[in-house]
Amino acid sequence: ASSAVPAPPGGAAGAAAALAQALLIGEAAPARLSAAAAAALPAFKAFVASKANGAAASTAAAQIALLVGIERALGVAAAPSRAREAALALKELYDGDVVDEEILVGWSAKGDAGAVLEISKEVAEEVRKGAAPFISWLEEAEDSSSDEE
């Protein structure tokens, strides 16, 4: 089909994109993104663990690869309308202890993180715009906990 989305490039981010595409927007995925993300948590945890090999730096890299993969799935493979739902998927990843708060905030601030998967600047901006309410909540929660210390 000429309208098919090309397969992502290789590497950890490419593998994460294929996984995210299948689990979040594939034919068998629940229609609601939050339900799809919740159902995908075990697979996402296994992905991070398999790429991390127990090393902290590798865990961070695996978490970033997963976020970039989800960014591609929502912004490129799905449709721009799914990019608006990014906050729902990210909240599930955070609540499920798949991706650390610092990694989420750092990914959000790095608009070109998806360049490895040929995600355009425009698509990256749309996904981050969709993620913004959740990222803002994380930052506010972090600020208020810092104020209390």
Side-chain angles (χ1 to χ4, degrees):
S2 61
S3 64
V5 175
L19 181 65
Q21 186 171 332
L23 296 176
L24 297 179
I25 62 170
E27 290 180 21
R32 289 183 37 242
L33 188 58
S34 58
L41 285 179
F44 290 154
K45 280 184 179 183
F47 172 84
V48 170
S50 74
K51 300 297 180 197
N53 298 321
S58 296
T59 298
Q63 290 177 8
I64 292 167
L66 180 60
L67 289 172
V68 170
I70 290 171
E71 179 178 5
R72 186 178 198 286
L74 296 181
V76 177
S81 62
R82 294 309 291 244
R84 292 189 293 253
E85 300 177 73
L88 301 172
L90 298 183
K91 182 177 185 318
E92 290 294 335
L93 293 175
Y94 175 75
D95 289 346
D97 295 323
V98 177
V99 179
D100 297 333
E101 177 180 346
E102 301 80 29
I103 301 295
L104 285 161
V105 172
W107 164 84
S108 176
K110 188 166 173 52
D112 64 348
V116 67
L117 292 183
E118 301 169 358
I119 297 170
S120 71
K121 182 179 177 184
E122 295 78 18
V123 168
E125 287 173 359
E126 280 300 308
V127 173
R128 279 161 183 72
K129 193 162 105 179
F134 178 66
I135 299 297
S136 295
W137 176 83
L138 279 179
E139 292 172 332
E140 289 168 14
E142 186 177 304
D143 289 345
S144 68
S145 68
S146 295
D147 293 344
E148 292 171 10
E149 293 176 7

